């Protein structure tokens, strides 16, 4: 990519989101139809529902923070690497938002067998990002993006401590 070009407006995002939403819906439908085993632990069902609601709320907030507050579309059009706000906590907050939302829906469903799917979502995101957007961003922003990757996780929001090697 040339410096004057910018990333595609949507990249591989719609594909990723469609796949994980589709897997979530199929998992829940197959669970309810007894096509896959429906294993539940009644002792933790309320906890799973509360955690599911919490993850859905977190997912909605992450999406809002990435799209509306940080105006990611403007950053793409202006060819600017956005590293502020929620992008200082996670490199792909929009995709993370959908992981949280879908995982929340699975937790609310309550079938323990479906809890393998969030690991599938994470693996799919990792492979997809390494082979598409991360390559594009490295070509476009070089060392700036490489350093950003060292500081910020790909899909799990986490504020890393800055290292201080001055003996403190």
């Amino acid at each position: 990519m040339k410096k004057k070009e910018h990333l595609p407006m949507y990249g591989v995002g719609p594909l990723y989101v469609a796949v994980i939403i589709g897997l979530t819906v199929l998992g829940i439908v197959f669970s309810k139809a007894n096509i896959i085993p429906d294993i539940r632990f009644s002792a933790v069902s309320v906890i799973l529902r509360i955690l599911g609601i919490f993850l859905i709320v977190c997912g909605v907030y992450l999406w809002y923070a990435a799209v509306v507050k940080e105006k990611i579309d403007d950053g793409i059009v202006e060819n600017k690497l956005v590293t502020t706000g929620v992008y200082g906590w996670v490199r792909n907050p929009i995709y993370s938002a959908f992981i949280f939302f879908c995982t929340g829906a699975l937790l609310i469903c309550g079938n323990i067998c479906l809890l393998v799917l969030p690991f599938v979502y994470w693996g799919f995101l990792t492979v997809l990002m390494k082979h598409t957007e991360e390559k594009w961003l490295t070509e476009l922003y070089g060392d700036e993006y490489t350093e950003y990757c060292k500081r910020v996780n790909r899909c799990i929001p986490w504020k890393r401590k800055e290292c201080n090697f001055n003996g403190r």
Side-chain angles (χ1 to χ4, degrees), residues 37-109:
D38 190 1
I39 300 172
R40 297 171 185 275
F41 296 112
S42 59
V44 295
S45 66
V46 171
I47 294 169
L48 291 177
R49 286 189 183 110
I50 291 169
L51 184 56
I53 292 166
F54 175 75
L55 285 177
I56 288 171
V57 169
C58 287
V60 169
Y61 175 77
L62 267 176
W63 183 89
Y64 172 80
V67 174
V68 178
K69 286 177 76 174
E70 293 302 320
K71 300 176 184 171
I72 189 61
D73 289 349
D74 292 347
I76 292 170
V77 170
E78 295 169 9
N79 203 19
K80 177 185 163 207
L81 181 62
V82 179
T83 61
T84 58
V86 73
Y87 287 90
W89 289 70
V90 61
R91 294 194 312 257
N92 299 291
I94 297 170
Y95 305 143
S96 297
F98 282 97
I99 290 175
F100 281 21
F101 190 90
C102 290
T103 301
L106 295 172
L107 288 170
I108 290 170
C109 176

Side-chain angles (χ1 to χ4, degrees), residues 30 33 57 71 104 120 139 148 155 158-159:
F30 286 1
V57 169
K71 300 176 184 171
V120 172
E139 289 175 16
Y148 172 63
C155 64
W158 189 264
K159 187 71 172 174

Side-chain angles (χ1 to χ4, degrees), residues 19-39:
V19 167
I20 72 166
I21 288 175
L23 287 173
T24 301
V25 170
L26 281 175
I28 292 170
V29 168
F30 286 1
S31 175
K32 298 295 181 189
N34 291 318
I35 295 171
I36 60 172
D38 190 1
I39 300 172

